[in-house]
Amino acid sequence: MTMKQVTSGIVSMTLFCCISILGGISVANADAIADGKKVAFDRKKGNCLACHAIAGGSLPGNIGPPLIAMKARFPEKAKLREQIWDSTAANPNTIMPPFGKHRILTEKEVDLVTEFIYTL
Amino acid sequence: MNKLITTLGIALLVALPFNGMASPQQDLSEFRDYYEKRFPGTPFDDFINGVYSIDPVTREQWEEIEEFPPYELGLSKGEELFNKPFANGKTYASCFENDGIGIRQNYPYFDTDRGEVITLELAINECREANGEKKLKWKKGPIAFISAYMAYTSRGNIIDIKIPDDPRAVAAYERGKKHFYQKRGQLNMACADCHKFYAGSMVRADLLSPALGHLSHFPVYRSKWGGMGTTHRRYGGCNKQVRAKDYPAQSEEYRALEYFHTYMSNGLAVNGPGARK
């Protein structure tokens, strides 16, 4: 490990702790959020940016609504997971793919994406 | 019991035209109205320009490209191939009405003798076989060049696809219509989702083109392909994109889709070949 890596490691750990304490997010959960973001942005996985504007993502499509204020839209996290797992339950004609039901994402990946989207 | 069945049968017959089975003419006017309402700034005749009919920004760049079109080379190869005699001395002209000039607007058509949809590419290859030549590959290369030349000689002619009064023709049309509207593939999307209901929206950085006018300008030169491709090449690409089954080029399924899809552009002018991203 170079000195630079060590320093940046320390810096990000420090930042991390502060965010964790402030936001009340556990370390494990912060990992899940970061992994969920990767899955959501990956063109071969969630590819959510094809249709939704999402903070932190560039060149989004506009087929679906921007994903913001998710906690207000989905007071229950389970309902958000349901929307991602099977979008056709809420709207049978939806263009949004049923990510869990059609095994585009694994159950674990749907969990991770839900964690990330819930922070928006 | 027999009477009940008869009564039910009559009831169904009476009900059918009103439920689901709209006539092709009704479908066509619904289809046009839909796009005219969705894109009030686009005159009907302009839908032949695909995505550029609804996007003034990229249209300018495209019009510049059209001044030295990337399909020109394919087009001149197509003309050469079209006029080059087969080993038996005959040419493509011998297989087509009006010697194959200015006829693109009538393809695909339903052949009531054979009971199937005949696309232009199918007719090109059948012409070759009838003259003792080998079939060309369906999706790109020479067949696309010849088809491009034939489209070029038809520029300005009005697309005029007919559904003859034959249940098999109507069945082919309905099959194509179903393909267009039915959700498919792992991603569960229909052609209509992207090219009708969300036409004009952005999927990531791509603007979705209206299906009205889609088939006026095929085959197309696509920069992504680095060459020309036929309609069925594009169908394959869009189906793979939603991780759906790709049917073989010139399969009954894609010919039926092309039949419906082209019928929906009746009344628009042929302007093929086109140039696209």
Side-chain angles (χ1 to χ4, degrees), chain B residues 31 35 47-51 159 180 191 194-196 199 208-220 231 234-235 238 261-262 264-265 268 271 276:
Chain B
F31 203 75
Y35 291 99
F47 280 102
I48 59 175
N49 296 318
V51 80
I159 298 173
F180 185 79
C191 313
C194 287
H195 296 296
K196 190 172 179 191
L208 291 168
S209 58
L212 177 63
H214 252 174
L215 293 193
S216 68
H217 49 271
F218 269 80
V220 300
T231 303
R234 183 77 230 202
Y235 285 170
C238 278
H261 200 181
T262 316
M264 285 298 120
S265 291
L268 289 169
N271 64 336
R276 293 291 181 272

PDB file of all heavy atoms in Angstrom, chain B residues 31 35 47-51 159 180 191 194-196 199 208-220 231 234-235 238 261-262 264-265 268 271 276:
ATOM      1  N   PHE B  31     -53.915   4.873 -35.709  1.00  0.00           N
ATOM      2  CA  PHE B  31     -52.458   4.980 -35.647  1.00  0.00           C
ATOM      3  C   PHE B  31     -52.002   6.386 -36.047  1.00  0.00           C
ATOM      4  O   PHE B  31     -51.253   7.048 -35.327  1.00  0.00           O
ATOM      5  CB  PHE B  31     -51.873   3.946 -36.623  1.00  0.00           C
ATOM      6  CG  PHE B  31     -50.468   3.509 -36.332  1.00  0.00           C
ATOM      7  CD1 PHE B  31     -50.190   2.638 -35.297  1.00  0.00           C
ATOM      8  CD2 PHE B  31     -49.407   3.930 -37.139  1.00  0.00           C
ATOM      9  CE1 PHE B  31     -48.904   2.200 -35.047  1.00  0.00           C
ATOM     10  CE2 PHE B  31     -48.108   3.495 -36.897  1.00  0.00           C
ATOM     11  CZ  PHE B  31     -47.856   2.628 -35.856  1.00  0.00           C
ATOM     12  N   TYR B  35     -50.214   9.646 -33.611  1.00  0.00           N
ATOM     13  CA  TYR B  35     -48.943  10.367 -33.803  1.00  0.00           C
ATOM     14  C   TYR B  35     -49.172  11.843 -34.113  1.00  0.00           C
ATOM     15  O   TYR B  35     -48.387  12.691 -33.713  1.00  0.00           O
ATOM     16  CB  TYR B  35     -48.095   9.700 -34.890  1.00  0.00           C
ATOM     17  CG  TYR B  35     -47.576   8.351 -34.455  1.00  0.00           C
ATOM     18  CD1 TYR B  35     -48.207   7.182 -34.850  1.00  0.00           C
ATOM     19  CD2 TYR B  35     -46.482   8.252 -33.607  1.00  0.00           C
ATOM     20  CE1 TYR B  35     -47.748   5.941 -34.434  1.00  0.00           C
ATOM     21  CE2 TYR B  35     -46.012   7.020 -33.171  1.00  0.00           C
ATOM     22  CZ  TYR B  35     -46.658   5.862 -33.594  1.00  0.00           C
ATOM     23  OH  TYR B  35     -46.200   4.650 -33.164  1.00  0.00           O
ATOM     24  N   PHE B  47     -43.148  12.432 -41.317  1.00  0.00           N
ATOM     25  CA  PHE B  47     -42.833  11.270 -40.479  1.00  0.00           C
ATOM     26  C   PHE B  47     -41.896  10.286 -41.177  1.00  0.00           C
ATOM     27  O   PHE B  47     -41.301   9.428 -40.529  1.00  0.00           O
ATOM     28  CB  PHE B  47     -44.110  10.565 -40.014  1.00  0.00           C
ATOM     29  CG  PHE B  47     -44.770  11.257 -38.848  1.00  0.00           C
ATOM     30  CD1 PHE B  47     -45.887  12.055 -39.029  1.00  0.00           C
ATOM     31  CD2 PHE B  47     -44.255  11.115 -37.562  1.00  0.00           C
ATOM     32  CE1 PHE B  47     -46.486  12.707 -37.949  1.00  0.00           C
ATOM     33  CE2 PHE B  47     -44.841  11.755 -36.476  1.00  0.00           C
ATOM     34  CZ  PHE B  47     -45.957  12.554 -36.673  1.00  0.00           C
ATOM     35  N   ILE B  48     -41.746  10.422 -42.496  1.00  0.00           N
ATOM     36  CA  ILE B  48     -40.820   9.532 -43.210  1.00  0.00           C
ATOM     37  C   ILE B  48     -39.380   9.742 -42.771  1.00  0.00           C
ATOM     38  O   ILE B  48     -38.522   8.933 -43.080  1.00  0.00           O
ATOM     39  CB  ILE B  48     -40.913   9.721 -44.742  1.00  0.00           C
ATOM     40  CG1 ILE B  48     -40.601  11.177 -45.129  1.00  0.00           C
ATOM     41  CG2 ILE B  48     -42.302   9.325 -45.253  1.00  0.00           C
ATOM     42  CD1 ILE B  48     -40.559  11.406 -46.635  1.00  0.00           C
ATOM     43  N   ASN B  49     -39.117  10.827 -42.047  1.00  0.00           N
ATOM     44  CA  ASN B  49     -37.744  11.094 -41.622  1.00  0.00           C
ATOM     45  C   ASN B  49     -37.401  10.515 -40.258  1.00  0.00           C
ATOM     46  O   ASN B  49     -36.392  10.856 -39.661  1.00  0.00           O
ATOM     47  CB  ASN B  49     -37.480  12.595 -41.686  1.00  0.00           C
ATOM     48  CG  ASN B  49     -37.577  13.100 -43.117  1.00  0.00           C
ATOM     49  OD1 ASN B  49     -37.084  12.445 -44.038  1.00  0.00           O
ATOM     50  ND2 ASN B  49     -38.253  14.217 -43.321  1.00  0.00           N
ATOM     51  N   GLY B  50     -38.257   9.628 -39.781  1.00  0.00           N
ATOM     52  CA  GLY B  50     -37.955   8.899 -38.555  1.00  0.00           C
ATOM     53  C   GLY B  50     -37.730   9.833 -37.390  1.00  0.00           C
ATOM     54  O   GLY B  50     -38.452  10.809 -37.194  1.00  0.00           O
ATOM     55  N   VAL B  51     -36.682   9.552 -36.640  1.00  0.00           N
ATOM     56  CA  VAL B  51     -36.391  10.296 -35.430  1.00  0.00           C
ATOM     57  C   VAL B  51     -36.173  11.786 -35.748  1.00  0.00           C
ATOM     58  O   VAL B  51     -36.483  12.659 -34.946  1.00  0.00           O
ATOM     59  CB  VAL B  51     -35.194   9.627 -34.718  1.00  0.00           C
ATOM     60  CG1 VAL B  51     -33.867  10.028 -35.332  1.00  0.00           C
ATOM     61  CG2 VAL B  51     -35.221   9.858 -33.240  1.00  0.00           C
ATOM     62  N   ILE B 159     -46.606   4.922 -50.359  1.00  0.00           N
ATOM     63  CA  ILE B 159     -46.737   3.552 -49.845  1.00  0.00           C
ATOM     64  C   ILE B 159     -48.204   3.129 -49.900  1.00  0.00           C
ATOM     65  O   ILE B 159     -49.087   3.850 -49.431  1.00  0.00           O
ATOM     66  CB  ILE B 159     -46.194   3.457 -48.402  1.00  0.00           C
ATOM     67  CG1 ILE B 159     -44.695   3.807 -48.394  1.00  0.00           C
ATOM     68  CG2 ILE B 159     -46.425   2.061 -47.812  1.00  0.00           C
ATOM     69  CD1 ILE B 159     -44.086   3.912 -47.007  1.00  0.00           C
ATOM     70  N   PHE B 180     -46.203  -6.478 -32.812  1.00  0.00           N
ATOM     71  CA  PHE B 180     -45.896  -5.074 -32.530  1.00  0.00           C
ATOM     72  C   PHE B 180     -46.363  -4.653 -31.135  1.00  0.00           C
ATOM     73  O   PHE B 180     -45.685  -3.883 -30.456  1.00  0.00           O
ATOM     74  CB  PHE B 180     -46.562  -4.188 -33.592  1.00  0.00           C
ATOM     75  CG  PHE B 180     -46.209  -2.728 -33.475  1.00  0.00           C
ATOM     76  CD1 PHE B 180     -45.001  -2.248 -33.946  1.00  0.00           C
ATOM     77  CD2 PHE B 180     -47.089  -1.829 -32.885  1.00  0.00           C
ATOM     78  CE1 PHE B 180     -44.674  -0.903 -33.839  1.00  0.00           C
ATOM     79  CE2 PHE B 180     -46.774  -0.475 -32.773  1.00  0.00           C
ATOM     80  CZ  PHE B 180     -45.559  -0.020 -33.247  1.00  0.00           C
ATOM     81  N   CYS B 191     -42.708  -3.469 -29.084  1.00  0.00           N
ATOM     82  CA  CYS B 191     -42.284  -2.474 -30.064  1.00  0.00           C
ATOM     83  C   CYS B 191     -43.062  -1.183 -29.795  1.00  0.00           C
ATOM     84  O   CYS B 191     -42.511  -0.081 -29.832  1.00  0.00           O
ATOM     85  CB  CYS B 191     -42.592  -2.918 -31.495  1.00  0.00           C
ATOM     86  SG  CYS B 191     -42.125  -4.604 -31.890  1.00  0.00           S
ATOM     87  N   CYS B 194     -41.854   1.363 -27.055  1.00  0.00           N
ATOM     88  CA  CYS B 194     -40.798   2.310 -27.410  1.00  0.00           C
ATOM     89  C   CYS B 194     -41.188   3.218 -28.577  1.00  0.00           C
ATOM     90  O   CYS B 194     -40.873   4.394 -28.566  1.00  0.00           O
ATOM     91  CB  CYS B 194     -39.504   1.562 -27.735  1.00  0.00           C
ATOM     92  SG  CYS B 194     -38.724   0.899 -26.246  1.00  0.00           S
ATOM     93  N   HIS B 195     -41.857   2.657 -29.585  1.00  0.00           N
ATOM     94  CA  HIS B 195     -42.064   3.434 -30.811  1.00  0.00           C
ATOM     95  C   HIS B 195     -43.467   4.001 -30.945  1.00  0.00           C
ATOM     96  O   HIS B 195     -43.790   4.612 -31.944  1.00  0.00           O
ATOM     97  CB  HIS B 195     -41.697   2.600 -32.031  1.00  0.00           C
ATOM     98  CG  HIS B 195     -40.240   2.244 -32.066  1.00  0.00           C
ATOM     99  ND1 HIS B 195     -39.254   3.203 -32.192  1.00  0.00           N
ATOM    100  CD2 HIS B 195     -39.591   1.054 -31.948  1.00  0.00           C
ATOM    101  CE1 HIS B 195     -38.070   2.606 -32.175  1.00  0.00           C
ATOM    102  NE2 HIS B 195     -38.250   1.307 -32.011  1.00  0.00           N
ATOM    103  N   LYS B 196     -44.322   3.770 -29.924  1.00  0.00           N
ATOM    104  CA  LYS B 196     -45.635   4.411 -29.952  1.00  0.00           C
ATOM    105  C   LYS B 196     -45.842   5.156 -28.637  1.00  0.00           C
ATOM    106  O   LYS B 196     -45.815   6.371 -28.595  1.00  0.00           O
ATOM    107  CB  LYS B 196     -46.737   3.371 -30.203  1.00  0.00           C
ATOM    108  CG  LYS B 196     -48.091   4.012 -30.473  1.00  0.00           C
ATOM    109  CD  LYS B 196     -49.139   2.993 -30.908  1.00  0.00           C
ATOM    110  CE  LYS B 196     -50.488   3.671 -31.137  1.00  0.00           C
ATOM    111  NZ  LYS B 196     -51.564   2.676 -31.295  1.00  0.00           N
ATOM    112  N   ALA B 199     -42.683   7.118 -27.852  1.00  0.00           N
ATOM    113  CA  ALA B 199     -41.993   7.773 -28.973  1.00  0.00           C
ATOM    114  C   ALA B 199     -41.775   9.225 -28.570  1.00  0.00           C
ATOM    115  O   ALA B 199     -42.663   9.855 -27.996  1.00  0.00           O
ATOM    116  CB  ALA B 199     -42.836   7.683 -30.240  1.00  0.00           C
ATOM    117  N   LEU B 208     -36.482   8.110 -29.015  1.00  0.00           N
ATOM    118  CA  LEU B 208     -37.248   7.022 -29.628  1.00  0.00           C
ATOM    119  C   LEU B 208     -38.097   7.541 -30.788  1.00  0.00           C
ATOM    120  O   LEU B 208     -38.897   8.464 -30.627  1.00  0.00           O
ATOM    121  CB  LEU B 208     -38.142   6.360 -28.584  1.00  0.00           C
ATOM    122  CG  LEU B 208     -37.382   5.566 -27.513  1.00  0.00           C
ATOM    123  CD1 LEU B 208     -38.314   5.201 -26.357  1.00  0.00           C
ATOM    124  CD2 LEU B 208     -36.763   4.311 -28.114  1.00  0.00           C
ATOM    125  N   SER B 209     -37.928   6.929 -31.949  1.00  0.00           N
ATOM    126  CA  SER B 209     -38.623   7.388 -33.148  1.00  0.00           C
ATOM    127  C   SER B 209     -40.051   6.867 -33.206  1.00  0.00           C
ATOM    128  O   SER B 209     -40.352   5.802 -32.669  1.00  0.00           O
ATOM    129  CB  SER B 209     -37.876   6.894 -34.390  1.00  0.00           C
ATOM    130  OG  SER B 209     -37.775   5.476 -34.366  1.00  0.00           O
ATOM    131  N   PRO B 210     -40.937   7.632 -33.853  1.00  0.00           N
ATOM    132  CA  PRO B 210     -42.304   7.158 -34.063  1.00  0.00           C
ATOM    133  C   PRO B 210     -42.322   6.004 -35.067  1.00  0.00           C
ATOM    134  O   PRO B 210     -41.556   6.027 -36.031  1.00  0.00           O
ATOM    135  CB  PRO B 210     -43.026   8.370 -34.647  1.00  0.00           C
ATOM    136  CG  PRO B 210     -42.006   9.402 -34.935  1.00  0.00           C
ATOM    137  CD  PRO B 210     -40.687   8.962 -34.419  1.00  0.00           C
ATOM    138  N   ALA B 211     -43.193   5.031 -34.856  1.00  0.00           N
ATOM    139  CA  ALA B 211     -43.288   3.909 -35.796  1.00  0.00           C
ATOM    140  C   ALA B 211     -43.974   4.336 -37.091  1.00  0.00           C
ATOM    141  O   ALA B 211     -43.792   3.699 -38.123  1.00  0.00           O
ATOM    142  CB  ALA B 211     -44.039   2.741 -35.168  1.00  0.00           C
ATOM    143  N   LEU B 212     -44.737   5.420 -37.031  1.00  0.00           N
ATOM    144  CA  LEU B 212     -45.340   5.944 -38.249  1.00  0.00           C
ATOM    145  C   LEU B 212     -44.206   6.427 -39.156  1.00  0.00           C
ATOM    146  O   LEU B 212     -43.402   7.265 -38.751  1.00  0.00           O
ATOM    147  CB  LEU B 212     -46.276   7.113 -37.902  1.00  0.00           C
ATOM    148  CG  LEU B 212     -46.950   7.824 -39.082  1.00  0.00           C
ATOM    149  CD1 LEU B 212     -47.865   6.892 -39.848  1.00  0.00           C
ATOM    150  CD2 LEU B 212     -47.733   9.045 -38.595  1.00  0.00           C
ATOM    151  N   GLY B 213     -44.123   5.868 -40.364  1.00  0.00           N
ATOM    152  CA  GLY B 213     -43.044   6.274 -41.272  1.00  0.00           C
ATOM    153  C   GLY B 213     -41.767   5.463 -41.134  1.00  0.00           C
ATOM    154  O   GLY B 213     -40.829   5.656 -41.895  1.00  0.00           O
ATOM    155  N   HIS B 214     -41.714   4.556 -40.169  1.00  0.00           N
ATOM    156  CA  HIS B 214     -40.500   3.751 -39.957  1.00  0.00           C
ATOM    157  C   HIS B 214     -40.008   3.096 -41.245  1.00  0.00           C
ATOM    158  O   HIS B 214     -38.824   3.077 -41.522  1.00  0.00           O
ATOM    159  CB  HIS B 214     -40.805   2.619 -38.978  1.00  0.00           C
ATOM    160  CG  HIS B 214     -40.192   2.804 -37.624  1.00  0.00           C
ATOM    161  ND1 HIS B 214     -40.461   1.943 -36.599  1.00  0.00           N
ATOM    162  CD2 HIS B 214     -39.335   3.724 -37.134  1.00  0.00           C
ATOM    163  CE1 HIS B 214     -39.797   2.335 -35.521  1.00  0.00           C
ATOM    164  NE2 HIS B 214     -39.110   3.422 -35.821  1.00  0.00           N
ATOM    165  N   LEU B 215     -40.933   2.503 -42.000  1.00  0.00           N
ATOM    166  CA  LEU B 215     -40.480   1.657 -43.103  1.00  0.00           C
ATOM    167  C   LEU B 215     -40.449   2.379 -44.448  1.00  0.00           C
ATOM    168  O   LEU B 215     -40.316   1.755 -45.482  1.00  0.00           O
ATOM    169  CB  LEU B 215     -41.306   0.371 -43.152  1.00  0.00           C
ATOM    170  CG  LEU B 215     -41.060  -0.540 -41.937  1.00  0.00           C
ATOM    171  CD1 LEU B 215     -41.627  -1.923 -42.169  1.00  0.00           C
ATOM    172  CD2 LEU B 215     -39.579  -0.663 -41.584  1.00  0.00           C
ATOM    173  N   SER B 216     -40.511   3.707 -44.413  1.00  0.00           N
ATOM    174  CA  SER B 216     -40.424   4.436 -45.681  1.00  0.00           C
ATOM    175  C   SER B 216     -38.987   4.480 -46.188  1.00  0.00           C
ATOM    176  O   SER B 216     -38.757   4.649 -47.370  1.00  0.00           O
ATOM    177  CB  SER B 216     -40.918   5.870 -45.493  1.00  0.00           C
ATOM    178  OG  SER B 216     -40.003   6.581 -44.673  1.00  0.00           O
ATOM    179  N   HIS B 217     -38.031   4.324 -45.284  1.00  0.00           N
ATOM    180  CA  HIS B 217     -36.637   4.608 -45.664  1.00  0.00           C
ATOM    181  C   HIS B 217     -35.684   3.427 -45.506  1.00  0.00           C
ATOM    182  O   HIS B 217     -34.491   3.618 -45.344  1.00  0.00           O
ATOM    183  CB  HIS B 217     -36.129   5.814 -44.876  1.00  0.00           C
ATOM    184  CG  HIS B 217     -36.395   5.703 -43.406  1.00  0.00           C
ATOM    185  ND1 HIS B 217     -37.544   6.147 -42.830  1.00  0.00           N
ATOM    186  CD2 HIS B 217     -35.663   5.183 -42.411  1.00  0.00           C
ATOM    187  CE1 HIS B 217     -37.509   5.912 -41.531  1.00  0.00           C
ATOM    188  NE2 HIS B 217     -36.381   5.321 -41.254  1.00  0.00           N
ATOM    189  N   PHE B 218     -36.232   2.222 -45.574  1.00  0.00           N
ATOM    190  CA  PHE B 218     -35.347   1.048 -45.500  1.00  0.00           C
ATOM    191  C   PHE B 218     -34.992   0.550 -46.892  1.00  0.00           C
ATOM    192  O   PHE B 218     -35.765   0.753 -47.817  1.00  0.00           O
ATOM    193  CB  PHE B 218     -36.021  -0.051 -44.664  1.00  0.00           C
ATOM    194  CG  PHE B 218     -35.646   0.064 -43.216  1.00  0.00           C
ATOM    195  CD1 PHE B 218     -36.267   0.988 -42.398  1.00  0.00           C
ATOM    196  CD2 PHE B 218     -34.607  -0.707 -42.704  1.00  0.00           C
ATOM    197  CE1 PHE B 218     -35.878   1.130 -41.069  1.00  0.00           C
ATOM    198  CE2 PHE B 218     -34.221  -0.570 -41.373  1.00  0.00           C
ATOM    199  CZ  PHE B 218     -34.861   0.353 -40.560  1.00  0.00           C
ATOM    200  N   PRO B 219     -33.816  -0.095 -47.062  1.00  0.00           N
ATOM    201  CA  PRO B 219     -32.800  -0.337 -46.041  1.00  0.00           C
ATOM    202  C   PRO B 219     -32.098   0.946 -45.606  1.00  0.00           C
ATOM    203  O   PRO B 219     -32.210   1.958 -46.277  1.00  0.00           O
ATOM    204  CB  PRO B 219     -31.831  -1.277 -46.751  1.00  0.00           C
ATOM    205  CG  PRO B 219     -31.996  -0.981 -48.207  1.00  0.00           C
ATOM    206  CD  PRO B 219     -33.429  -0.592 -48.383  1.00  0.00           C
ATOM    207  N   VAL B 220     -31.405   0.886 -44.480  1.00  0.00           N
ATOM    208  CA  VAL B 220     -30.680   2.064 -44.007  1.00  0.00           C
ATOM    209  C   VAL B 220     -29.180   1.784 -43.869  1.00  0.00           C
ATOM    210  O   VAL B 220     -28.766   0.642 -43.657  1.00  0.00           O
ATOM    211  CB  VAL B 220     -31.186   2.580 -42.633  1.00  0.00           C
ATOM    212  CG1 VAL B 220     -32.648   2.966 -42.695  1.00  0.00           C
ATOM    213  CG2 VAL B 220     -30.947   1.580 -41.533  1.00  0.00           C
ATOM    214  N   THR B 231     -34.561  -4.239 -43.224  1.00  0.00           N
ATOM    215  CA  THR B 231     -35.565  -4.120 -42.164  1.00  0.00           C
ATOM    216  C   THR B 231     -35.429  -5.248 -41.133  1.00  0.00           C
ATOM    217  O   THR B 231     -35.476  -5.003 -39.930  1.00  0.00           O
ATOM    218  CB  THR B 231     -36.971  -4.177 -42.800  1.00  0.00           C
ATOM    219  OG1 THR B 231     -37.064  -3.141 -43.770  1.00  0.00           O
ATOM    220  CG2 THR B 231     -38.055  -3.996 -41.760  1.00  0.00           C
ATOM    221  N   ARG B 234     -32.737  -4.824 -38.606  1.00  0.00           N
ATOM    222  CA  ARG B 234     -33.137  -3.895 -37.544  1.00  0.00           C
ATOM    223  C   ARG B 234     -34.107  -4.558 -36.562  1.00  0.00           C
ATOM    224  O   ARG B 234     -34.003  -4.375 -35.353  1.00  0.00           O
ATOM    225  CB  ARG B 234     -33.794  -2.665 -38.184  1.00  0.00           C
ATOM    226  CG  ARG B 234     -34.198  -1.595 -37.210  1.00  0.00           C
ATOM    227  CD  ARG B 234     -32.996  -0.802 -36.755  1.00  0.00           C
ATOM    228  NE  ARG B 234     -32.960  -0.706 -35.305  1.00  0.00           N
ATOM    229  CZ  ARG B 234     -32.313   0.236 -34.640  1.00  0.00           C
ATOM    230  NH1 ARG B 234     -31.616   1.152 -35.274  1.00  0.00           N
ATOM    231  NH2 ARG B 234     -32.321   0.243 -33.331  1.00  0.00           N
ATOM    232  N   TYR B 235     -35.046  -5.329 -37.071  1.00  0.00           N
ATOM    233  CA  TYR B 235     -35.970  -6.043 -36.178  1.00  0.00           C
ATOM    234  C   TYR B 235     -35.178  -6.911 -35.203  1.00  0.00           C
ATOM    235  O   TYR B 235     -35.476  -6.956 -34.007  1.00  0.00           O
ATOM    236  CB  TYR B 235     -36.911  -6.957 -36.979  1.00  0.00           C
ATOM    237  CG  TYR B 235     -38.032  -6.272 -37.730  1.00  0.00           C
ATOM    238  CD1 TYR B 235     -38.809  -6.989 -38.640  1.00  0.00           C
ATOM    239  CD2 TYR B 235     -38.334  -4.930 -37.532  1.00  0.00           C
ATOM    240  CE1 TYR B 235     -39.852  -6.390 -39.337  1.00  0.00           C
ATOM    241  CE2 TYR B 235     -39.362  -4.324 -38.222  1.00  0.00           C
ATOM    242  CZ  TYR B 235     -40.128  -5.057 -39.128  1.00  0.00           C
ATOM    243  OH  TYR B 235     -41.153  -4.468 -39.806  1.00  0.00           O
ATOM    244  N   CYS B 238     -33.593  -4.759 -32.451  1.00  0.00           N
ATOM    245  CA  CYS B 238     -34.526  -4.268 -31.426  1.00  0.00           C
ATOM    246  C   CYS B 238     -35.025  -5.414 -30.549  1.00  0.00           C
ATOM    247  O   CYS B 238     -35.205  -5.248 -29.349  1.00  0.00           O
ATOM    248  CB  CYS B 238     -35.686  -3.497 -32.068  1.00  0.00           C
ATOM    249  SG  CYS B 238     -35.229  -1.783 -32.454  1.00  0.00           S
ATOM    250  N   HIS B 261     -46.459  -3.378 -40.183  1.00  0.00           N
ATOM    251  CA  HIS B 261     -45.650  -2.185 -39.915  1.00  0.00           C
ATOM    252  C   HIS B 261     -45.642  -1.249 -41.132  1.00  0.00           C
ATOM    253  O   HIS B 261     -45.720  -0.033 -40.997  1.00  0.00           O
ATOM    254  CB  HIS B 261     -44.237  -2.680 -39.594  1.00  0.00           C
ATOM    255  CG  HIS B 261     -43.344  -1.744 -38.848  1.00  0.00           C
ATOM    256  ND1 HIS B 261     -42.060  -2.087 -38.539  1.00  0.00           N
ATOM    257  CD2 HIS B 261     -43.497  -0.500 -38.362  1.00  0.00           C
ATOM    258  CE1 HIS B 261     -41.477  -1.092 -37.888  1.00  0.00           C
ATOM    259  NE2 HIS B 261     -42.326  -0.116 -37.761  1.00  0.00           N
ATOM    260  N   THR B 262     -45.549  -1.833 -42.347  1.00  0.00           N
ATOM    261  CA  THR B 262     -45.542  -1.006 -43.557  1.00  0.00           C
ATOM    262  C   THR B 262     -46.943  -0.488 -43.853  1.00  0.00           C
ATOM    263  O   THR B 262     -47.122   0.669 -44.247  1.00  0.00           O
ATOM    264  CB  THR B 262     -44.998  -1.783 -44.775  1.00  0.00           C
ATOM    265  OG1 THR B 262     -43.847  -2.505 -44.383  1.00  0.00           O
ATOM    266  CG2 THR B 262     -44.618  -0.821 -45.900  1.00  0.00           C
ATOM    267  N   MET B 264     -49.058   0.395 -41.798  1.00  0.00           N
ATOM    268  CA  MET B 264     -49.270   1.540 -40.907  1.00  0.00           C
ATOM    269  C   MET B 264     -48.646   2.824 -41.477  1.00  0.00           C
ATOM    270  O   MET B 264     -48.891   3.913 -40.960  1.00  0.00           O
ATOM    271  CB  MET B 264     -48.686   1.265 -39.514  1.00  0.00           C
ATOM    272  CG  MET B 264     -49.506   0.309 -38.673  1.00  0.00           C
ATOM    273  SD  MET B 264     -51.166   0.939 -38.315  1.00  0.00           S
ATOM    274  CE  MET B 264     -52.152  -0.338 -39.067  1.00  0.00           C
ATOM    275  N   SER B 265     -47.805   2.707 -42.501  1.00  0.00           N
ATOM    276  CA  SER B 265     -47.217   3.900 -43.131  1.00  0.00           C
ATOM    277  C   SER B 265     -47.857   4.194 -44.479  1.00  0.00           C
ATOM    278  O   SER B 265     -47.336   5.013 -45.244  1.00  0.00           O
ATOM    279  CB  SER B 265     -45.705   3.721 -43.284  1.00  0.00           C
ATOM    280  OG  SER B 265     -45.092   3.736 -42.014  1.00  0.00           O
ATOM    281  N   LEU B 268     -47.737   7.566 -46.972  1.00  0.00           N
ATOM    282  CA  LEU B 268     -46.476   8.318 -46.875  1.00  0.00           C
ATOM    283  C   LEU B 268     -45.582   7.965 -48.068  1.00  0.00           C
ATOM    284  O   LEU B 268     -45.753   6.914 -48.691  1.00  0.00           O
ATOM    285  CB  LEU B 268     -45.754   7.977 -45.566  1.00  0.00           C
ATOM    286  CG  LEU B 268     -46.405   8.519 -44.291  1.00  0.00           C
ATOM    287  CD1 LEU B 268     -45.773   7.890 -43.047  1.00  0.00           C
ATOM    288  CD2 LEU B 268     -46.279  10.042 -44.242  1.00  0.00           C
ATOM    289  N   ASN B 271     -38.802   7.063 -49.188  1.00  0.00           N
ATOM    290  CA  ASN B 271     -37.609   7.917 -49.253  1.00  0.00           C
ATOM    291  C   ASN B 271     -36.331   7.143 -48.929  1.00  0.00           C
ATOM    292  O   ASN B 271     -35.343   7.700 -48.497  1.00  0.00           O
ATOM    293  CB  ASN B 271     -37.747   9.151 -48.354  1.00  0.00           C
ATOM    294  CG  ASN B 271     -37.850   8.799 -46.880  1.00  0.00           C
ATOM    295  OD1 ASN B 271     -38.260   7.686 -46.557  1.00  0.00           O
ATOM    296  ND2 ASN B 271     -37.505   9.716 -46.000  1.00  0.00           N
ATOM    297  N   ARG B 276     -28.785   6.562 -40.732  1.00  0.00           N
ATOM    298  CA  ARG B 276     -29.090   6.667 -39.307  1.00  0.00           C
ATOM    299  C   ARG B 276     -27.837   6.474 -38.458  1.00  0.00           C
ATOM    300  O   ARG B 276     -26.841   5.937 -38.921  1.00  0.00           O
ATOM    301  CB  ARG B 276     -30.114   5.593 -38.903  1.00  0.00           C
ATOM    302  CG  ARG B 276     -31.502   5.786 -39.508  1.00  0.00           C
ATOM    303  CD  ARG B 276     -32.193   6.996 -38.921  1.00  0.00           C
ATOM    304  NE  ARG B 276     -33.535   7.201 -39.452  1.00  0.00           N
ATOM    305  CZ  ARG B 276     -33.833   7.896 -40.552  1.00  0.00           C
ATOM    306  NH1 ARG B 276     -32.882   8.416 -41.279  1.00  0.00           N
ATOM    307  NH2 ARG B 276     -35.091   8.061 -40.925  1.00  0.00           N
TER     308      ARG B 276
END
